[in-house]
Amino acid sequence: QVQLVESGGGLVQPGGSLRLSCAASGSASGINTMNWYRQAPGKGREWVAKITGAGTTTYADSVKGRFTISRDNAKNTMYLQMNSLKPEDTAVYMCHAVNSWFNVYWGQGTQVTVSS
């Protein structure tokens, strides 16, 4: 089993920055691909960014150039650096992991609110 715990959310003004973290525990050494998703009020879940075990990254068009996904395998932690935040980035941000046996894990989420 793998447990994922997000942190780093909060209230930020438009144009500001936040750094989210997703700490994995349990059988974390088997984790391969990790993703960030988000869900805004009244909307469906949206994929934000992905990082493979080899460090290859991909981004949704809506965040490309503003967000950076990274991971520290020694700490079993994934990050999402979010810059130039916009009100439409307001959402609950959740981390998602897939291990070598294709088991899927989700964190509980952390709230990000972008407002003046």
Side-chain angles (χ1 to χ4, degrees):
Q1 283 289 334
V2 173
Q3 294 78 44
L4 302 174
V5 178
E6 302 94 336
S7 61
L11 173 64
V12 64
Q13 292 186 342
S17 298
L18 280 176
R19 187 195 194 205
L20 305 183
S21 299
C22 171
S25 61
S27 303
S29 60
I31 290 175
N32 189 355
T33 299
M34 299 185 78
N35 294 272
W36 285 101
Y37 284 80
R38 66 186 181 186
Q39 187 163 17
K43 295 188 176 181
R45 189 173 292 172
E46 176 190 17
W47 171 76
V48 175
K50 168 185 169 181
I51 185 165
T52 68
T56 302
T57 59
T58 50
Y59 299 90
D61 287 344
S62 58
V63 306
K64 199 173 295 182
R66 300 187 298 122
F67 290 11
T68 303
I69 189 172
S70 62
R71 65 194 289 174
D72 183 334
N73 291 329
K75 295 182 178 179
N76 291 323
T77 302
M78 174 178 66
Y79 305 96
L80 186 68
Q81 177 67 44
M82 306 186 295
N83 299 327
S84 302
L85 282 161
K86 305 175 181 180
E88 51 263 43
D89 294 318
T90 295
V92 174
Y93 283 72
M94 296 162 284
C95 65
H96 167 279
V98 182
N99 69 10
S100 301
W101 299 271
F102 303 104
N103 299 124
V104 176
Y105 302 95
W106 289 92
Q108 291 297 309
T110 184
Q111 176 70 47
V112 171
T113 302
V114 184
S115 174
S116 54

